[in-house]
Amino acid sequence: MTTAYSLSRKQGWRRFTDTPARTRPERLSVAALARMELLDRARYNETRHDWHANFGTIATPQLVQVREELDLIVASNRQDSDRVRGAAVIDGFPGLGKTTMVNLFARDFDRTARQLGGDTTEDGDERIPVFRVGLTSNTTLRTLNKMICEFYGHPGAANGTAAQLATFALDCVLKCETCVGIIDDVHFINQNSRDGLAVSNHLKWLANELPVTFIYAGVGLSERRFFDEGLAGESTALAQTAARWTRLEVVPFERDDSWTVLIKAIEKQLVLAKARPGRLVALDEYLFERTGGHIGSLITLVTRGCFKAIKNGTEALTWDLLQTIRIDEAAERSRPRRAAETKRRGRKKEGASR
């Protein structure tokens, strides 16, 4: 079992960046499991539960594309401090892995920056190449500044006005030679409200004053007209967000070869006594029907299925077992529609083969 930590604190972020990848547990046979002492088997099962919930990154086409774009944007942002740097925003529906993509990119960037420059700056300050904060539904200008200060552990984060906290945040970025700033869940910003507009404008101030590349992530930003900043008609041309942010859209999987490749990659990670190559792949159409191509829903279904398969001794992900697993409400609600689509495709294939 792992100890909890927060990516919104430098200690948690450092643990995330420095912790080596997990080692895949050995897959034991049913007979070997039966021979184990109860306590040893319980420990082995705990190790498997932890693995299935955290078995690492799968290089999906979406992740690879976003990674390449972020590499380009961050690496090319070499403007002097008197010039505004372009930002990137990861946009899409929920459950597509946007936050994971950003965190993994920033983790590797952080590691490389400290390998090249060392863990401390020339002035002896701690080098922190990346800061990360997540917004909430009641984020104000002051709380945003406070969250940045809290990430660094600044002693003045508990008190101070919005302006003072902004100064503290700027000092932290400069002293720690931070190069990338991640702000997650920007869809919580309501640009039609007073506080939301203040936060939106403050993001522009941060981009002007902090010599970092900002990477934002949010849900349905384009549909919310987030880039237009609530403006309408000819006034949308005045929206600075659209002019400064490069939108990187993350889309769900289609029911094609890339989906099957994803299922194969997940299947290789399973540590179940009765798991066999091709067994999960044979359920790829069913898995798409259950999840609609959303990787978050798929991982949830697989993780919960593995836990149940270990607990009840099934030791395999079967159709019968997965049928007993409930996942997020969005996936469950749209499942009947996808089931109907699956039937229509089946009838078309049957008609074409005649």
Side-chain angles (χ1 to χ4, degrees):
M1 300 294 287
T2 58
T3 303
Y5 58 90
S6 172
L7 297 184
S8 292
R9 297 290 186 274
K10 67 176 182 179
Q11 296 86 351
W13 180 259
R14 182 58 57 87
R15 176 169 177 175
F16 172 66
T17 59
D18 290 355
T19 300
R22 287 176 170 81
T23 301
R24 184 178 183 273
E26 180 185 2
R27 186 172 69 86
L28 302 179
S29 66
V30 174
L33 286 176
R35 290 193 297 268
M36 295 179 74
E37 297 289 339
L38 289 179
L39 184 57
D40 290 337
R41 182 166 180 173
R43 288 171 176 160
Y44 175 65
N45 288 345
E46 284 296 311
T47 302
R48 290 197 289 169
H49 292 326
D50 190 46
W51 169 257
H52 289 139
N54 305 277
F55 56 67
T57 306
I58 295 175
T60 65
Q62 294 92 327
L63 185 148
V64 172
Q65 182 178 2
V66 168
R67 169 91 188 207
E68 291 176 351
E69 294 281 2
L70 290 177
D71 270 331
L72 175 61
I73 293 169
V74 173
S76 63
N77 268 356
R78 298 173 183 265
Q79 296 89 340
D80 291 333
S81 298
D82 62 320
R83 300 185 181 186
V84 178
R85 305 183 183 196
V89 56
I90 316 301
D91 187 17
F93 291 112
L96 299 180
K98 298 181 295 299
T99 297
T100 299
M101 293 176 184
V102 175
N103 288 342
L104 292 177
F105 169 81
R107 180 191 66 183
D108 293 343
F109 178 88
D110 187 295
R111 289 174 174 174
T112 301
R114 287 189 288 118
Q115 287 171 355
L116 294 175
D119 288 331
T120 58
T121 67
E122 290 186 4
D123 293 334
D125 294 304
E126 183 181 7
R127 186 185 303 280
I128 304 177
V130 175
F131 79 76
R132 179 199 177 279
V133 298
L135 303 187
T136 66
S137 58
N138 58 354
T139 298
T140 64
L141 188 153
R142 182 181 181 279
T143 55
L144 173 56
N145 293 336
K146 181 180 179 181
M147 285 189 288
I148 297 175
C149 292
E150 287 177 337
F151 176 89
Y152 289 94
H154 192 287
N159 301 299
T161 65
Q164 289 171 331
L165 291 170
T167 300
F168 296 157
L170 175 59
D171 289 342
C172 289
V173 167
L174 295 176
K175 288 184 177 181
C176 300
E177 297 186 2
T178 302
C179 301
V180 170
I182 299 172
I183 299 184
D184 200 2
D185 294 326
V186 293
H187 53 270
F188 281 128
I189 299 175
N190 179 5
Q191 297 185 356
N192 294 314
S193 70
R194 181 179 177 181
D195 284 339
L197 183 59
V199 172
S200 179
N201 288 330
H202 189 57
L203 291 180
K204 301 182 188 70
W205 181 87
L206 291 173
N208 290 336
E209 296 298 322
L210 273 57
V212 305
T213 298
F214 279 98
I215 302 176
Y216 308 95
V219 174
L221 300 178
S222 183
E223 290 77 4
R224 299 168 189 262
R225 296 184 63 246
F226 186 88
F227 302 99
D228 298 334
E229 302 174 14
L231 301 176
E234 296 180 357
S235 297
T236 56
L238 302 176
Q240 295 183 38
T241 299
R244 293 181 176 181
W245 293 14
T246 299
R247 178 174 177 263
L248 307 178
E249 184 180 14
V250 181
V251 298
F253 277 85
E254 298 291 340
R255 179 63 186 90
D256 53 22
D257 290 343
S258 65
W259 178 254
T260 303
V261 170
L262 173 63
I263 303 303
K264 286 181 179 179
I266 292 175
E267 185 175 54
K268 292 178 180 179
Q269 305 301 326
L270 303 184
V271 186
L272 300 172
K274 295 182 181 179
R276 299 292 181 271
R279 174 172 283 182
L280 191 65
V281 175
L283 299 173
D284 60 350
E285 183 135 11
Y286 166 78
L287 294 172
F288 190 85
E289 177 188 309
R290 290 292 308 271
T291 65
H294 288 241
I295 191 169
S297 302
L298 175 63
I299 295 300
T300 298
L301 181 61
V302 170
T303 301
R304 293 178 183 176
C306 287
F307 185 92
K308 194 167 188 176
I310 292 172
K311 187 175 181 179
N312 66 13
T314 306
E315 290 291 339
L317 294 184
T318 64
W319 183 89
D320 288 336
L321 182 138
L322 293 174
Q323 277 287 86
T324 68
I325 305 294
R326 286 193 60 82
I327 53 177
D328 57 279
E329 182 61 18
E332 297 291 356
R333 191 184 305 163
S334 55
R335 182 182 176 187
R337 172 179 55 79
R338 291 194 296 270
E341 293 173 353
T342 300
K343 289 182 179 180
R344 283 197 296 270
R345 285 197 299 269
R347 286 196 294 267
K348 287 183 179 179
K349 290 180 181 179
E350 184 179 345
S353 63
R354 290 177 179 175

